[in-house]
Each structure stands twice: as C-alpha cells, then as structure tokens.
Amino acid sequence: MPKTFERLYISQEESYADDPKKMIKAFFRDFHPQDVQHYLNRLLLCALTESNTLFHTPQERGNAILFCEQVWYTLQAIHQLHKK
C-alpha cells in the first residue's frame, strides 16, 4: 500500500514553468513511481465501476484505460530521464 500523498498540490509560488526540470525533481521527490501507478489504477477503477460514471460506453471506458496507460508510460520515461 502506498504512503499517503502529502503534497498533491503545487502552489503558484512553486510554479516551475520556467524550469521544468525543477518540477520533475519535485514530483519524484514526493511521489514514488509505484505509488503513482497504484493511485492511477485506483482512480481508473473508481471511474469505471461507479454507477454514476462518465464512462458509459465501451469506447469511453477503453479511452480512459488507454489514457491512464499512456500517462503511466510517460511518467516512467520521465522518471528514467530524471534518474540520469
């Protein structure tokens, strides 16, 4: 079970628009990749199994799954670049 996320919000004072590497460093300082994957999976499970979900059709559910997979793969790639 992942730890509780303590910093889910980045304030405007912490805006990293001018230095994206700082944002990546801050993100991986606060989030371990496996915790992010677990959290994404829980969000997706909730979104797809709740009765009042926005994903009514199989295509909408498939798109949500694909999107979460792509976010996960992107985060993995960024994490690998960050470690170098």
Side-chain angles (χ1 to χ4, degrees):
M1 185 66 100
K3 67 176 183 160
T4 302
F5 294 136
E6 296 171 6
R7 294 194 57 206
L8 288 175
Y9 176 74
I10 296 186
S11 68
Q12 288 182 326
E13 294 79 36
E14 293 182 288
S15 176
Y16 298 106
D18 295 332
D19 191 353
K21 288 181 182 181
K22 280 187 177 181
M23 175 62 199
I24 293 168
K25 184 177 181 179
F27 182 85
F28 288 111
R29 175 193 65 221
D30 296 334
F31 302 109
H32 193 272
Q34 285 77 14
D35 294 341
V36 174
Q37 182 183 29
H38 178 78
Y39 195 69
L40 280 172
N41 288 341
R42 288 182 65 201
L43 285 171
L44 185 61
L45 181 65
C46 181
L48 298 180
T49 60
E50 291 296 317
S51 61
N52 61 352
T53 183
L54 297 173
F55 308 104
H56 294 288
T57 69
Q59 182 177 359
E60 289 170 326
R61 290 189 293 273
N63 288 342
I65 292 167
L66 179 63
F67 178 78
C68 284
E69 286 176 347
Q70 294 304 307
V71 168
W72 170 240
Y73 294 142
T74 301
L75 284 171
Q76 284 181 309
I78 292 168
H79 185 255
Q80 290 300 317
L81 291 171
H82 169 68
K83 289 182 0 180
K84 290 184 180 185

